[in-house]
């Protein structure tokens, strides 16, 4: 389905966007400020235009508007749609075909609209996170919990952490050399490097302790009590020692009362101030 326009050669079957506008005047007017139309104008009408997506229009015109002789992306299958868009956008989104979205049958037009975009930037059908929530309703529930990242409040966007067009990371997280960088680009105080590293932070990552979207627990912790969280790794050390903390240590003073710098420290290997 991929189309490469050559409007300078009538024999190729292209008729040009001006011909399309004679019947589709209402659509042509809406495309006046569209990025695709601006690209077409920049390249002497040899850039992106109607026929870049819909294919050569000569047979469609000669057939008096026969809809069977023109490509309608809205009725094409997701793979065909994506192949058409990627003829131009492959450089920006080289991993889309192996993304979770592509594998699930989500195509470019599931999120983007060339003709009727609600958000000019990226021609999105809706603002984030509402656009993402049309499919990811379970994540919307997470963001409605008492403690959550301020996504619905507009402070951050889904795309700040995820790349909807695909990465080599799980859950389409933005690819970085440091897998924690998705979090530490905002939470800079936890970034390090530190003289004394807390090994789980580097080995397992932030989500070993935190739930990223929303949680019923303060600090987005995976468990209600910080002592319970620490004892998942340190129970054998804590039991029967000066700490006096066994498996049921929620009634004890919190570990972070003494071990202040649990993400890492430049002062003390026990992360004490």
């Amino acid at each position: 389905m991929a189309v490469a326009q050559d409007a300078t050669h009538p024999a190729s079957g292209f008729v040009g966007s001006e011909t399309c506008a004679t019947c589709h005047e209402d659509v042509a007017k809406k495309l006046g400020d569209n990025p695709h139309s601006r690209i077409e104008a920049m390249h002497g009408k040899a850039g992106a235009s109607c026929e870049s997506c819909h294919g050569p229009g000569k047979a469609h015109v000669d057939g008096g508007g026969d809809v069977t002789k023109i490509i309608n992306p809205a009725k094409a299958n997701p793979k065909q749609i994506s192949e058409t868009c990627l003829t131009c956008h492959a450089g920006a989104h080289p991993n889309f075909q192996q993304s979770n979205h592509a594998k699930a049958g989500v195509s470019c037009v599931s999120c983007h609209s060339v003709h009727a975009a609600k958000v000019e930037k990226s021609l999105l059908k809706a603002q984030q996170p509402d656009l993402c929530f049309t499919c990811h309703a379970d994540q919307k529930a997470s963001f409605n919990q008492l403690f959550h990242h301020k996504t619905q409040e507009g402070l951050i966007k889904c795309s700040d952490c995820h790349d909807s067009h695909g990465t080599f990371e799980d859950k389409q997280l933005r690819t970085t050399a440091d897998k924690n960088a998705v979090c530490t680009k905002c939470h800079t105080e936890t970034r390090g490097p530190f003289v004394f590293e807390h090994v789980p932070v580097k080995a397992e990552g932030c989500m070993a302790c935190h739930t990223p979207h929303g949680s019923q627990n303060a600090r987005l912790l995976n468990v209600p009590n910080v002592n319970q969280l620490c004892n998942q790794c340190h129970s054998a050390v804590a039991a029967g020692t000066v700490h006096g903390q066994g498996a049921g240590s929620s009634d004890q003073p919190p570990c972070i009362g003494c071990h202040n710098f649990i993400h890492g420290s430049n002062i003390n290997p026990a992360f004490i101030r």
Side-chain angles (χ1 to χ4, degrees), residues 5 8 26 56 64 74 90 93 99 113 130 140 162 184 195 223 225 249-250 261:
Q5 182 174 356
T8 61
D26 54 337
H93 309 304
S99 71
S113 175
D130 293 335
K140 182 177 182 179
H162 302 274
T184 58
V195 175
V223 296
N225 182 275
S249 57
S250 60
F261 300 102

Side-chain angles (χ1 to χ4, degrees), residues 8-267:
T8 61
H9 293 81
S12 64
F14 292 97
V15 295
S17 54
E18 292 89 347
T19 300
C20 301
T22 57
C23 293
H24 303 283
E25 183 179 1
D26 54 337
V27 175
K29 287 181 179 178
K30 292 178 182 178
L31 288 172
D33 294 327
N34 190 284
H36 294 91
S37 297
R38 291 198 293 269
I39 292 173
E40 181 188 20
M42 287 169 57
H43 294 278
K45 299 189 177 181
S49 70
C50 309
E51 291 168 295
S52 299
C53 300
H54 294 281
K58 187 175 188 303
H60 172 65
V61 173
D62 292 345
D66 187 343
V67 296
T68 65
K69 296 181 178 180
I70 196 73
I71 296 170
N72 184 351
K75 296 182 179 180
N77 67 55
K79 189 175 186 297
Q80 290 176 318
I81 295 169
S82 299
E83 286 177 350
T84 298
C85 298
L86 289 173
T87 56
C88 294
H89 297 284
H93 309 304
N95 300 316
F96 181 75
Q97 293 291 28
Q98 59 93 38
S99 71
N100 293 342
H101 279 147
K103 292 175 182 178
V106 176
S107 74
C108 305
V109 298
S110 299
C111 301
H112 303 275
S113 175
V114 174
H115 294 151
K118 300 296 183 183
V119 182
E120 182 177 357
K121 184 178 180 180
S122 301
L123 299 179
L124 294 176
K125 287 185 172 181
Q127 290 277 9
Q128 295 187 59
D130 293 335
L131 178 63
C132 303
F133 288 161
T134 56
C135 293
H136 300 284
D138 53 338
Q139 305 304 342
K140 182 177 182 179
S142 295
F143 284 116
N144 282 330
Q145 294 196 76
L146 179 60
F147 302 98
H148 59 270
H149 272 117
K150 306 299 182 183
T151 301
Q152 297 196 78
E153 293 82 350
L155 295 183
I156 62 174
K157 302 189 295 294
C158 304
S159 58
D160 290 334
C161 302
H162 302 274
D163 186 341
S164 58
H165 299 101
T167 72
F168 289 98
E169 296 292 326
D170 187 32
K171 301 185 186 301
Q172 301 193 161
L173 287 174
R174 291 195 172 277
T175 305
T176 59
D178 176 4
K179 65 179 180 179
N180 288 333
V182 170
C183 303
T184 58
K185 68 180 180 180
C186 293
H187 301 281
T188 55
E189 74 284 358
T190 67
R191 180 185 299 162
F194 299 105
V195 175
F196 303 103
E197 299 282 4
H198 195 176
V199 175
V201 176
K202 293 297 182 183
E204 299 180 54
C206 304
M207 287 188 288
C209 299
H210 302 278
T211 301
H213 295 121
S215 172
Q216 61 183 347
N217 308 315
R219 303 185 187 90
L220 301 181
L221 292 178
N222 294 333
V223 296
N225 182 275
V226 69
N227 290 353
Q228 294 172 337
L229 181 65
C230 298
N231 276 346
Q232 290 177 352
C233 295
H234 299 286
S235 57
V237 175
T241 69
V242 67
H243 296 84
Q245 295 184 348
S249 57
S250 60
D251 59 335
Q252 301 294 327
C255 304
I256 57 175
C258 297
H259 302 279
N260 309 97
F261 300 102
I262 54 174
H263 295 99
S265 172
N266 292 322
I267 303 171

